Amino acid sequence: MINKRTARAVGGPPTTAGLREVLNRAARVVIVDAPAGEADSADRPRTEVTGADIADLARLLAVVDGGTGELCLCDGWPTITVHGPNGDLIACWTLHHQSGLRGAGDCDADLVDGPALTDWLAGRGLTGSRRVQEQLAALNAAQDQRRTRWIQAAPAGLTEAAADVARPSGRDRTAWSRGLRDAEERLATLTRLHHPEATERIRALLAWAGVPAREATGSLKWYDLAVQRQLLAEGPDLILTALVARPPSPAQLDGAAGLFSSTEWTEAHGRQLPEPLRSTLIGHIEADGTEPMRFRLRHGYYGAERTA
């Protein structure tokens, strides 16, 4: 029986030569469109590779030697089991995100040509990888569009700095985190340089913070939080004053709704808002709020009566 333990990464760093040495000893290779823990299920699509086709598979499984130094936390699929002439299990590998291989060494390894393997699997009836690739492409496109909208909404003078903050992470997440901290500091410095007057700066940041409220692609992103942290660094009395200095725009009220319901704000300042801001914000949410805003309103945020 195949299980997650069977498919664990083992040995030294993964290499293409090591993979081919294993496949050179194979009598057959079975590939199942399922994680290792479900690969024995008879209803999961599978293909069996024998003879000269094993050499073709070996070329498609070429990896970047040395691996990534990391292990993906998901189960991974399809599952590839390599069997010797006596039917014994020689190796068990899993594909991760259709671009990496697990089990050929002590860490994951990037495939040299993941799309080619995806096409080869689809040609043999295992279309799950292709569907996932298409879904990931659509998701990435939506996230890119959301990131672009956020950058374009940046207050005057901050577009370039905003793009640096919103830069996606690469393979080296430690270096990315350091770069993000530096980018956030530059953004905060430029915000105060281009918008030195507190009331106007806060109102500009609130409108920017309101952008994610109308997005349908998930919760706050790291770049959204960069704006929220700038607002939290402002004096709370300054923020409240900025919102009543003159009537706030719908975007500013969206940003205020997010700020005033954040854990950082409520833990430091509570949920109660002063009048007339309380009534203004509640009226905005009741008239045109999103479902998350309405949910928070029903649960006692913004100083509203708790109704559910």
Side-chain angles (χ1 to χ4, degrees), residues 61-84:
L61 288 175
V63 298
V64 177
D65 288 346
T68 65
E70 300 175 345
L71 292 172
C72 178
L73 297 179
C74 69
D75 290 339
W77 57 274
T79 298
I80 304 170
T81 55
V82 184
H83 303 267

Side-chain angles (χ1 to χ4, degrees), residues 121-271:
L121 289 169
R124 299 179 73 100
L126 276 64
T127 58
S129 290
R130 177 175 286 175
R131 287 198 305 274
V132 169
Q133 289 286 26
E134 292 170 348
Q135 291 166 358
L136 287 174
L139 176 62
N140 289 336
Q143 296 294 355
D144 286 344
Q145 291 165 5
R146 172 175 175 167
R147 191 161 47 242
T148 297
R149 288 191 290 271
W150 181 84
I151 294 169
Q152 292 173 341
L158 303 183
T159 302
E160 186 175 341
D164 287 340
V165 170
R167 199 178 309 280
S169 64
R171 173 67 68 183
D172 189 340
R173 292 190 62 84
T174 300
W176 176 78
S177 295
R178 287 196 299 267
L180 177 59
R181 286 195 298 271
D182 292 342
E184 280 198 36
E185 289 176 4
R186 288 194 298 273
L187 179 63
T189 299
L190 285 172
T191 300
R192 290 182 172 270
L193 177 65
H194 288 279
H195 304 271
E197 201 281 315
T199 295
E200 294 307 314
R201 180 176 63 250
I202 290 169
R203 289 173 69 91
L205 287 172
L206 284 168
W208 198 10
V211 171
R214 302 292 166 171
E215 293 286 358
T217 53
S219 58
L220 293 180
K221 307 299 181 185
W222 71 92
Y223 46 86
D224 299 319
L225 293 172
V227 180
Q228 188 176 94
R229 279 190 282 270
Q230 284 199 54
L231 285 165
L232 290 165
E234 300 282 356
D237 290 341
L238 287 175
I239 293 173
L240 298 175
T241 298
L243 280 164
V244 298
R246 62 180 185 273
S249 69
Q252 289 165 346
L253 288 171
D254 283 349
L259 175 66
F260 295 147
S261 61
S262 68
T263 301
E264 293 80 2
W265 179 276
T266 58
E267 287 184 350
H269 311 296
R271 297 182 178 185

Side-chain angles (χ1 to χ4, degrees), residues 21-23 25-28 81-85 87-93:
E21 188 278 329
V22 171
L23 290 169
R25 296 186 282 119
R28 66 188 180 98
T81 55
V82 184
H83 303 267
D88 52 318
L89 180 65
I90 299 175
C92 179
W93 305 324

